[in-house]
Amino acid sequence: MAILADKNTKLIVQGITGREGSFHTQKMIEYGTQVVGGVTPGKGGEWVHGVPVFDTVKSAVEATGADASIIYVAAPYAPDAMFEAVDAGIKLVVCITEGVAVSDMMRVYDYLRDGNIRLIGPNCPGLLTPGQAKIGIMPGYIAKPGSIGVVSKSGTLTYEVVYALTQSGLGQSTCVGIGGDPVIGTNFIDVLQMFEEDPQTEKVCLMGEIGGRAEIDAAEFIKANMTKPVAAFIAGRTAPQGTRMGHAGAIVEGGEGTAEEKIDALRAAGVRIADNPEQFPELLA
Amino acid sequence: MAILADKNTKLIVQGITGREGSFHTQKMIEYGTQVVGGVTPGKGGEWVHGVPVFDTVKSAVEATGADASIIYVAAPYAPDAMFEAVDAGIKLVVCITEGVAVSDMMRVYDYLRDGNIRLIGPNCPGLLTPGQAKIGIMPGYIAKPGSIGVVSKSGTLTYEVVYALTQSGLGQSTCVGIGGDPVIGTNFIDVLQMFEEDPQTEKVCLMGEIGGRAEIDAAEFIKANMTKPVAAFIAGRTAPQGTRMGHAGAIVEGGEGTAEEKIDALRAAGVRIADNPEQFPELLA
Amino acid sequence: MNLHEYQAKEQFAKYGVPVQTGRVANTAEAAYNIAREMAVPVVVKAQVLVGGRGKAGGIKLAQTPEEAREKASAILGMSIKGHIVHKVLVVPAANIAKEIYLSVTNDRAAGKPLLMASAEGGVEIEIVARDNPTAIIKQHIDPFLGLREYQARNVAAAMGLSREHWRAFAKIAMNLYASFVGSDAVLAEINPLVVTDANELLALDGKMIIDDNALFRQQALEAQRDVSDDPPEVIHARDAGLSYVKLDGNIGCMVNGAGLAMTTMDMTKLYGGEGYGPANFLDIGGGAQADKVAMALRIILNDPQVKSVLFNIFGGITRGDEVARGILQALGEVPTNVPLIVRLNGTNAEEGRRIIEAANLPNVRYASTLTQAAQLAVQAAKGEL
Amino acid sequence: MNLHEYQAKEQFAKYGVPVQTGRVANTAEAAYNIAREMAVPVVVKAQVLVGGRGKAGGIKLAQTPEEAREKASAILGMSIKGHIVHKVLVVPAANIAKEIYLSVTNDRAAGKPLLMASAEGGVEIEIVARDNPTAIIKQHIDPFLGLREYQARNVAAAMGLSREHWRAFAKIAMNLYASFVGSDAVLAEINPLVVTDANELLALDGKMIIDDNALFRQQALEAQRDVSDDPPEVIHARDAGLSYVKLDGNIGCMVNGAGLAMTTMDMTKLYGGEGYGPANFLDIGGGAQADKVAMALRIILNDPQVKSVLFNIFGGITRGDEVARGILQALGEVPTNVPLIVRLNGTNAEEGRRIIEAANLPNVRYASTLTQAAQLAVQAAKGEL
């Protein structure tokens, strides 16, 4: 077992003929993911790395029975790609695309809330169930199967931590990058809940950053509901207040969302705090 | 017991200071309905027929504990009145207003679908639970308590039937006018289901008209799910095809929605058909 | 409210739908001049607010300006299903490679707009629906999200449209939907949408019905209403806020509520039998006051076929006393000997009856039930009363 | 992207929000002329993209045109939190009866826009939030339905606004929301919205932040971007699509991903201690290609405070070979002796390391872990390497 995806997950790639879509399709196939199809309007009938391309998600789902989709299309088109996936019956949608407008995401978020849909992202590295499936852009070699659940707002910081765990012999159940945008499909609490319920997961790593209050909410959830040990790292202790740091999740909002606040809240929930992401292995040992 | 409303229902009147709102507030109070408040923005603090007026539905609900609302505001403002009622926590909304634009109603319908909200109407006479509560504009004296459930697309036709039943000694459990507009909050099937489950209701009268396929859907539902006897009347046998007859529910759509089709479908579902609305008492006897 | 073809096309064009533009002519001479300026074969199309113009001979090809004059002359003034043609649209004749059907309407059961398309365009969609229903592709539209490009693409794929046309088709479908929303339409239809021999998509025809209930915010469209084809009583009824439809029978009906109005009509036919039935549908609406009732009665009495009038008012929001005052007001202005059968019930019915009784009118009879009222109206019409 | 007060007000006015209009002056003389034309006491307001202008002396009342010139002269050229004032806005002084706070922003947790209002306007809302949080009234907005009048009315009631102002307040709130949506803003704020002594509502100030991710469809707003206040490296970084923030330390950081960039900064401070820390935040983003990496490196090396550079690239969508090529490209154009600590991992990291190694650069050191890289960068900055 693992969460969200495993070796039975049938994946389609939206934007498969693009530069990133094509490159990562190959990487996902090499990792062992069941990539059953791709979608690029107007290119139906072509093949990419042995994967058939369809014109619409609907036709791809009908032909392949896909139950998951990954989105690599450009930001102005990503919201429609998400709507299209959902309307075609996809239950797990992972949106890698960076730079989606927040007003668009609010509409997507509202639309999805009605259905039984799981959206990861956007602006995220996707997820990796070591040894089973990779739906995203995480380098596959950094992970190995095991019992640590990893959840993170930040993409590359996730790689650091997963790599450090693997180097120390600690394998992972599933690694999930939820993205740091203001509005995202799946938040810390959703994933923590899944890890809490997943028999394979024994301990959890959480990586947050300054801005917003998602880590505070996570701390409250952990205190109230988690029986499994959690260790955490919060990026941005040295970031000056009020300065935009790359993505919107990293705006320090007047007196709220500082690293100190978040660390205090997590500590109060019994979470062990790492000062350095390479410290996780010793905290979890 | 009865369906939708009874003597414990606490009602507020949106548009209480208007001509119709004020008139029918008095009639509803005279009938015994618990009218606990009214709403007209800018007139909070006034009183109408002994009922306190509030500026917003929110404040009316907070002050009175109302659980139902009736709307008498003009058509351009009726959609917002419905949204306001729902956002204030009202669970039963009855919209009397005639002439609401269909595009507005589609938005209302979509918005309500998420919540556990019951909307009756718009463009309907509301409902009457004889001897307990009148939420609408049906003349109170035409009804008396009993075991016949009445559901109808048409307002005044409902009165005819209820009056005829009462004159023949057949009382009613609840009388519901669902309205004949293209998009309505509650359809025949919703009400038939309630009557089927309501222990007080023994038999059901249904009044439909030409246009649309709501009566065909009702016939299918009756065939599959109703154990209680149903009698029906369909108005519009003499209406020429394709001519608009008052409201949009009465457009005959090319070859579909004729009175004959509907009568045939209902008959096939075991429903007794009245040729004249005053025939119901003998059909139900 | 129905729009003429040329009005619908103007509306479509405003939202970016490529339409075959043309010009409207009121006279054969004007049609000749337009055709001469166009300097290509043209089609002369009757502009009437009713379907089936082609079958009725209201659409004609003309190779020359002279022929255009001749065809226009034949079409102008002709009656199509009772509608007199006052205008023709003159358009360049198109070279058609393929005909598509495309429309947006409302699915009342789903509570959502519905896009319908078919590769079998150019014929009446009702015929396709009957003979080959799977050829009609349906796509519901979320009223908040609007029509998305991928939905239009799914429709294009399902109807077997050649892939080279998908982008253009999707754009047309999205723009048609925008025109539907922006105009508060209940129907926006292109039939046919053609692929020309130059491989471009073009709307050759256009039909649009506007939601009467939304005209309060569509004043520019309401101002385009063509009343030239409406009889005076229809115009009067509309201005007074009455729903009125003239029928062939001889028993005038004045009723509150559409359903009860139809029921009342049905009753006159049920008891009237051969040769006797409703002269009209007339719904005075909810809460009608005296002025409106008076206008309704004047409209009914203006019909020379009317031999008796049945008033069936079951008041809820409408009040019997207001109706009674309206009847007396109209009779004061337009005295009549036509028998009047009055049946008042519901809100303030007693007061209403008292008001009429006080006027001591010799040609008024009262009924207490609908059945009795219908029977009396039939007897009166037959001269048996 | 931040808008100036005068730009935000123009945007608000476009959507029907009553704003106190004024005119912008670049010189004291221009301010004098504007004040003379207005012929009333004026307020001279610094136009800088930073808060706290009032406290910093950037907003001054002037009774006469001469005084306006004098105040403008003092304000133009002053530095407010490091931002030089290049423009002032001259507005008529208003007679204020009451000050209100009103804004629309996004509630990320709820995934919805949020209207916030307070009767305690005119002060920083953060202070109200801290000292009297219940004075801030919050109303979520459905992104599909938009702000409804009754919601604005509920807010007006909750903030204790006098009922005579409800209608005007609701209209302003709805129009402010429309400007927020129409401009793809993440913040639209009026502080204060005043009730004048003539009992009218008027926006005296305006603030607007546009979603950078939506600028692709807000080209008219992007064209208004004021870069006069931005140092060249910020402009270069933005043009190249890099996220760059100059900091006070001495260790240059080039990282892919915002979270890892902050982490890398944190590590340089953790191991650097007093006097050593990050010289910048720089996120090259996902999938950066060689040109972008080269520009990033040029920007870092252009900072004279930088004593060592730490490259921390953990490739996912970014590829190590592309980064390596970018580093070499930049070093080819701008040779440097600054120590470079290179840590590549993830996608194509091996190829990347091989490419750099092949160039045999004397000032490059490699690290395999982030800890080691940070430690090396600190040592290099201290001259201990």
Side-chain angles (χ1 to χ4, degrees):
Chain A
M1 265 304 290
I3 67 167
L4 292 164
D6 59 24
K7 61 186 188 307
N8 299 315
T9 302
K10 288 182 175 177
L11 183 72
I12 56 166
V13 179
Q14 290 178 253
I16 193 169
T17 58
R19 184 175 184 269
E20 303 305 338
S22 163
F23 179 80
H24 288 286
T25 293
Q26 185 172 22
K27 296 282 179 195
M28 291 189 291
I29 292 170
E30 283 168 12
Y31 195 78
T33 312
Q34 275 198 60
V35 181
V36 295
V39 177
T40 298
K43 301 210 171 169
E46 297 185 9
W47 296 78
V48 171
H49 305 305
V51 172
V53 180
F54 298 86
D55 285 309
T56 68
V57 178
K58 188 163 177 274
S59 52
V61 168
E62 283 166 4
T64 66
D67 50 12
S69 169
I70 186 160
I71 293 172
Y72 288 103
V73 308
Y77 308 104
D80 256 22
M82 292 184 253
F83 290 130
E84 183 173 6
V86 171
D87 283 356
I90 295 285
K91 292 297 176 197
L92 173 66
V93 181
V94 178
C95 184
I96 303 302
T97 309
E98 188 181 345
V100 179
V102 65
S103 59
D104 290 342
M105 268 316 296
M106 290 192 297
R107 293 160 68 92
V108 171
Y109 185 77
D110 201 78
Y111 188 76
L112 296 198
R113 195 151 30 177
D114 295 347
N116 184 26
I117 312 292
R118 175 60 55 203
L119 168 69
I120 310 283
N123 191 13
C124 78
L127 57 99
L128 181 63
T129 296
Q132 297 202 60
K134 160 173 140 126
I135 302 184
I137 59 176
M138 293 190 205
Y141 75 89
I142 63 172
K144 71 166 200 172
S147 63
I148 311 289
V150 178
V151 59
S152 172
K153 250 192 195 176
S154 154
T156 46
L157 177 54
T158 314
Y159 312 164
E160 283 290 1
V161 172
V162 172
Y163 184 69
L165 293 172
T166 297
Q167 292 295 100
S168 305
L170 293 169
Q172 307 87 39
S173 53
T174 301
C175 309
V176 187
I178 59 172
D181 274 4
V183 178
I184 51 178
T186 297
N187 60 33
F188 280 131
I189 293 174
D190 298 322
V191 180
L192 289 171
Q193 178 78 49
M194 290 183 235
F195 281 140
E196 176 69 14
E197 289 167 7
D198 172 39
Q200 184 184 333
T201 302
E202 291 172 13
K203 297 172 184 171
V204 176
C205 286
L206 179 151
M207 284 83 82
E209 59 190 29
I210 52 170
R213 50 172 289 119
E215 294 81 359
I216 308 282
D217 294 338
E220 284 166 13
F221 176 84
I222 290 166
K223 197 166 188 177
N225 302 291
M226 292 285 290
T227 61
K228 298 178 182 179
V230 180
F233 174 80
I234 303 296
R237 294 197 211 199
T238 56
Q241 283 218 355
T243 306
R244 189 184 156 100
M245 291 286 172
H247 55 60
I251 298 174
V252 181
E253 289 156 327
E256 256 192 47
T258 62
E260 287 67 32
E261 268 182 17
K262 297 183 176 197
I263 287 169
D264 290 348
L266 287 162
R267 247 194 247 284
V271 173
R272 291 186 178 186
I273 301 297
D275 290 323
N276 172 338
E278 288 168 336
Q279 224 181 327
F280 272 112
E282 51 185 284
L283 292 181
L284 294 167
Chain B
M1 264 303 291
I3 68 168
L4 292 164
D6 58 25
K7 62 184 186 305
N8 299 314
T9 302
K10 288 182 174 177
L11 182 72
I12 56 167
V13 179
Q14 290 178 253
I16 192 167
T17 59
R19 183 176 185 271
E20 302 306 338
S22 163
F23 179 81
H24 288 285
T25 294
Q26 186 172 21
K27 297 281 179 195
M28 291 189 291
I29 292 169
E30 283 168 10
Y31 196 78
T33 312
Q34 274 198 60
V35 181
V36 295
V39 178
T40 297
K43 302 212 170 166
E46 297 185 7
W47 296 77
V48 171
H49 304 303
V51 170
V53 179
F54 298 86
D55 285 309
T56 68
V57 179
K58 188 163 176 277
S59 52
V61 169
E62 283 166 3
T64 66
D67 51 11
S69 168
I70 186 159
I71 293 173
Y72 289 103
V73 309
Y77 308 103
D80 256 23
M82 292 184 253
F83 290 132
E84 183 173 5
V86 171
D87 283 357
I90 295 285
K91 293 298 176 196
L92 173 67
V93 181
V94 178
C95 184
I96 303 303
T97 310
E98 187 181 345
V100 179
V102 64
S103 60
D104 291 341
M105 269 315 297
M106 289 193 297
R107 294 159 69 92
V108 171
Y109 185 76
D110 200 80
Y111 189 76
L112 296 198
R113 195 152 29 180
D114 295 349
N116 184 27
I117 313 292
R118 173 61 54 204
L119 168 69
I120 309 283
N123 192 12
C124 78
L127 55 99
L128 182 63
T129 295
Q132 296 201 57
K134 160 175 142 125
I135 303 185
I137 59 176
M138 292 190 207
Y141 75 88
I142 62 173
K144 71 165 200 172
S147 64
I148 311 288
V150 177
V151 59
S152 171
K153 249 190 195 176
S154 154
T156 45
L157 177 53
T158 314
Y159 313 164
E160 283 290 1
V161 172
V162 172
Y163 184 69
L165 292 172
T166 297
Q167 293 294 99
S168 305
L170 293 169
Q172 306 88 39
S173 54
T174 301
C175 309
V176 188
I178 59 173
D181 274 5
V183 178
I184 50 178
T186 296
N187 60 33
F188 280 131
I189 293 174
D190 298 322
V191 180
L192 289 171
Q193 177 77 51
M194 290 182 237
F195 281 139
E196 175 69 16
E197 290 167 7
D198 172 38
Q200 184 184 333
T201 303
E202 290 172 12
K203 297 173 184 169
V204 177
C205 287
L206 179 151
M207 286 82 81
E209 59 191 28
I210 51 170
R213 51 171 289 118
E215 294 80 1
I216 308 281
D217 295 339
E220 285 165 12
F221 176 84
I222 291 166
K223 196 167 191 177
N225 301 291
M226 291 285 288
T227 61
K228 299 178 181 176
V230 180
F233 174 80
I234 303 296
R237 294 196 211 196
T238 55
Q241 283 219 356
T243 305
R244 189 183 157 101
M245 290 287 170
H247 55 61
I251 297 173
V252 180
E253 288 154 329
E256 255 191 48
T258 62
E260 287 67 32
E261 269 182 17
K262 296 183 176 196
I263 288 168
D264 290 349
L266 288 163
R267 246 193 247 283
V271 173
R272 292 187 178 186
I273 301 297
D275 290 323
N276 173 337
E278 287 169 336
Q279 224 182 329
F280 272 111
E282 51 185 282
L283 292 180
L284 293 167
Chain C
M1 183 185 114
N2 280 282
L3 297 189
H4 279 299
E5 174 193 359
Y6 76 92
Q7 295 168 325
K9 281 176 162 179
E10 278 169 16
Q11 202 66 7
F12 293 169
K14 204 180 291 176
Y15 287 88
V17 175
V19 297
Q20 191 199 39
T21 47
R23 283 166 56 201
V24 174
N26 299 300
T27 64
E29 204 52 34
Y32 166 81
N33 286 327
I34 293 167
R36 209 180 47 179
E37 281 175 42
M38 287 179 173
V40 290
V42 298
V43 181
V44 181
K45 308 175 82 175
Q47 299 296 290
V48 280
L49 297 173
V50 70
R53 293 173 299 168
K55 257 187 225 153
I59 301 179
K60 298 281 188 196
L61 180 67
Q63 296 293 345
T64 65
E66 289 72 22
E67 212 182 319
R69 174 165 47 201
E70 192 185 307
K71 307 288 186 183
S73 177
I75 293 170
L76 284 163
M78 78 187 289
S79 168
I80 300 179
K81 297 183 186 170
H83 294 249
I84 307 298
V85 181
H86 297 288
K87 293 191 193 97
V88 292
L89 180 64
V90 181
V91 294
N95 293 306
I96 299 172
K98 183 176 172 55
E99 292 184 301
I100 296 166
Y101 172 90
L102 183 65
S103 73
V104 184
T105 180
N106 291 318
D107 180 345
R108 53 176 88 187
K112 288 181 177 182
L114 182 71
L115 182 79
M116 288 200 286
S118 172
E120 299 191 10
V123 294
E124 279 185 45
I125 195 65
E126 291 82 358
I127 293 170
V128 181
R130 192 191 60 205
D131 298 343
N132 190 11
T134 59
I136 301 178
I137 311 303
K138 293 178 180 178
Q139 171 69 56
H140 279 113
I141 301 169
D142 183 296
F144 288 108
L145 217 48
L147 181 66
R148 316 305 300 186
E149 190 172 359
Y150 66 86
Q151 295 177 317
R153 218 153 43 214
N154 283 335
V155 169
M159 67 195 274
L161 191 66
S162 162
R163 201 157 57 179
E164 64 181 315
H165 297 307
W166 285 14
R167 190 177 295 265
F169 173 81
K171 202 166 168 208
I172 290 172
M174 290 165 79
N175 290 342
L176 183 68
Y177 179 70
S179 81
F180 174 88
V181 172
S183 318
D184 268 306
V186 293
L187 174 70
E189 183 183 73
I190 305 174
N191 190 19
L193 172 67
V194 302
V195 182
T196 66
D197 57 358
N199 223 7
E200 283 170 339
L201 273 69
L202 189 64
L204 281 207
D205 204 345
K207 188 174 177 186
M208 209 166 197
I209 304 175
I210 309 301
D211 183 357
D212 289 340
N213 288 339
L215 289 175
F216 71 92
R217 61 186 172 212
Q218 296 289 348
Q219 279 149 9
L221 285 172
E222 174 138 45
Q224 287 185 45
R225 187 194 291 276
D226 181 3
V227 296
S228 64
D229 196 21
D230 290 338
E233 67 271 20
V234 169
I235 297 173
H236 289 146
R238 187 165 51 227
D239 289 347
L242 299 164
S243 289
Y244 172 80
V245 180
K246 167 96 182 72
L247 301 171
D248 291 335
N250 34 30
I251 300 170
C253 299
M254 178 157 92
V255 190
N256 64 324
L260 188 58
M262 286 191 287
T263 302
T264 306
M265 287 157 51
D266 294 351
M267 291 305 98
T268 64
K269 186 76 198 164
L270 184 68
Y271 294 107
E274 198 58 43
Y276 292 88
N280 62 274
F281 167 90
L282 197 156
D283 170 14
I284 60 170
Q289 298 181 42
D291 278 354
K292 201 167 167 181
V293 172
M295 173 58 79
L297 185 53
R298 279 197 296 270
I299 290 170
I300 292 172
L301 291 176
N302 201 45
D303 177 356
Q305 283 192 275
V306 166
K307 295 203 164 49
S308 69
V309 181
L310 197 173
F311 300 84
N312 185 25
I313 304 297
F314 208 129
I317 207 155
T318 304
R319 306 175 196 172
D321 55 332
E322 291 278 3
V323 171
R325 269 188 286 272
I327 292 172
L328 294 184
Q329 184 183 321
L331 292 178
E333 295 161 20
V334 196
T336 184
N337 295 321
V338 170
L340 310 176
I341 314 304
V342 176
R343 192 263 184 150
L344 297 179
N345 209 336
T347 307
N348 296 6
E350 287 308 311
E351 295 92 309
R353 178 149 176 175
R354 272 198 298 275
I355 288 168
I356 298 180
E357 279 174 346
N360 271 319
L361 298 168
N363 53 336
V364 171
R365 289 288 293 273
Y366 301 93
S368 59
T369 67
L370 173 54
T371 306
Q372 192 196 357
Q375 287 166 341
L376 283 173
V378 168
Q379 286 169 32
K382 290 182 176 172
E384 296 170 358
L385 205 63
Chain D
M1 184 183 114
N2 280 283
L3 297 189
H4 279 300
E5 174 193 356
Y6 75 92
Q7 295 168 325
K9 281 176 163 179
E10 281 169 13
Q11 202 66 6
F12 292 168
K14 203 179 292 173
Y15 287 89
V17 175
V19 297
Q20 191 199 39
T21 48
R23 284 166 56 200
V24 174
N26 298 299
T27 65
E29 204 51 34
Y32 166 80
N33 287 327
I34 293 167
R36 211 181 44 178
E37 283 176 39
M38 288 180 174
V40 289
V42 297
V43 181
V44 181
K45 307 176 82 176
Q47 298 295 290
V48 281
L49 298 173
V50 70
R53 291 172 303 167
K55 255 187 226 155
I59 300 179
K60 299 279 189 198
L61 179 68
Q63 297 292 346
T64 65
E66 290 73 23
E67 213 185 320
R69 173 163 51 201
E70 191 185 306
K71 306 289 185 181
S73 177
I75 293 170
L76 284 163
M78 80 187 287
S79 168
I80 300 179
K81 295 184 187 167
H83 293 249
I84 306 299
V85 181
H86 297 289
K87 292 191 192 95
V88 292
L89 180 64
V90 182
V91 294
N95 293 308
I96 299 171
K98 183 175 172 56
E99 292 184 301
I100 295 166
Y101 172 90
L102 182 66
S103 73
V104 183
T105 179
N106 290 317
D107 180 343
R108 52 176 89 189
K112 288 181 177 181
L114 182 72
L115 182 78
M116 287 200 287
S118 173
E120 301 191 9
V123 296
E124 280 186 44
I125 194 66
E126 291 82 357
I127 293 171
V128 181
R130 193 190 61 205
D131 298 344
N132 190 10
T134 58
I136 301 178
I137 311 303
K138 294 178 180 178
Q139 172 68 55
H140 278 114
I141 301 169
D142 183 295
F144 288 107
L145 217 50
L147 180 66
R148 315 306 300 188
E149 190 171 359
Y150 65 86
Q151 294 177 317
R153 217 153 43 214
N154 282 336
V155 169
M159 66 195 274
L161 191 64
S162 162
R163 201 159 58 179
E164 64 181 313
H165 297 308
W166 285 14
R167 188 176 295 265
F169 174 81
K171 201 164 170 210
I172 289 173
M174 291 166 78
N175 290 341
L176 183 68
Y177 179 70
S179 81
F180 173 88
V181 171
S183 318
D184 268 306
V186 293
L187 174 71
E189 184 183 74
I190 305 175
N191 191 17
L193 172 67
V194 302
V195 182
T196 66
D197 56 359
N199 225 6
E200 283 170 339
L201 272 70
L202 188 65
L204 281 206
D205 203 346
K207 189 173 175 185
M208 208 169 198
I209 305 176
I210 309 302
D211 182 357
D212 289 341
N213 288 338
L215 289 175
F216 71 92
R217 60 185 174 212
Q218 294 290 347
Q219 278 148 11
L221 285 173
E222 173 139 48
Q224 287 186 46
R225 187 195 290 277
D226 180 3
V227 297
S228 64
D229 196 23
D230 290 337
E233 67 271 20
V234 169
I235 297 172
H236 289 146
R238 188 167 49 226
D239 290 347
L242 299 162
S243 289
Y244 173 80
V245 179
K246 169 95 181 72
L247 300 172
D248 289 336
N250 34 33
I251 299 170
C253 297
M254 178 156 95
V255 189
N256 63 324
L260 189 57
M262 286 192 287
T263 302
T264 306
M265 287 157 50
D266 294 349
M267 292 302 101
T268 65
K269 187 75 197 166
L270 184 67
Y271 294 108
E274 198 57 44
Y276 291 88
N280 62 273
F281 166 88
L282 198 156
D283 170 15
I284 60 171
Q289 297 180 41
D291 277 354
K292 200 167 168 182
V293 172
M295 173 57 79
L297 185 52
R298 279 198 296 270
I299 289 169
I300 292 172
L301 291 175
N302 201 45
D303 177 355
Q305 283 191 276
V306 166
K307 294 202 162 53
S308 70
V309 181
L310 196 172
F311 299 85
N312 185 25
I313 305 296
F314 208 129
I317 207 157
T318 304
R319 306 176 196 172
D321 55 331
E322 291 278 3
V323 172
R325 270 188 286 273
I327 293 172
L328 294 183
Q329 182 184 321
L331 293 176
E333 295 161 20
V334 195
T336 185
N337 294 321
V338 171
L340 309 177
I341 313 303
V342 176
R343 193 263 184 149
L344 296 180
N345 209 335
T347 308
N348 295 6
E350 287 307 311
E351 295 90 310
R353 178 151 176 174
R354 272 198 299 274
I355 288 168
I356 298 179
E357 278 174 346
N360 271 321
L361 298 169
N363 55 335
V364 170
R365 288 287 292 273
Y366 299 95
S368 59
T369 68
L370 171 54
T371 306
Q372 191 195 359
Q375 286 167 341
L376 284 172
V378 167
Q379 284 169 33
K382 289 181 174 171
E384 294 171 359
L385 204 66

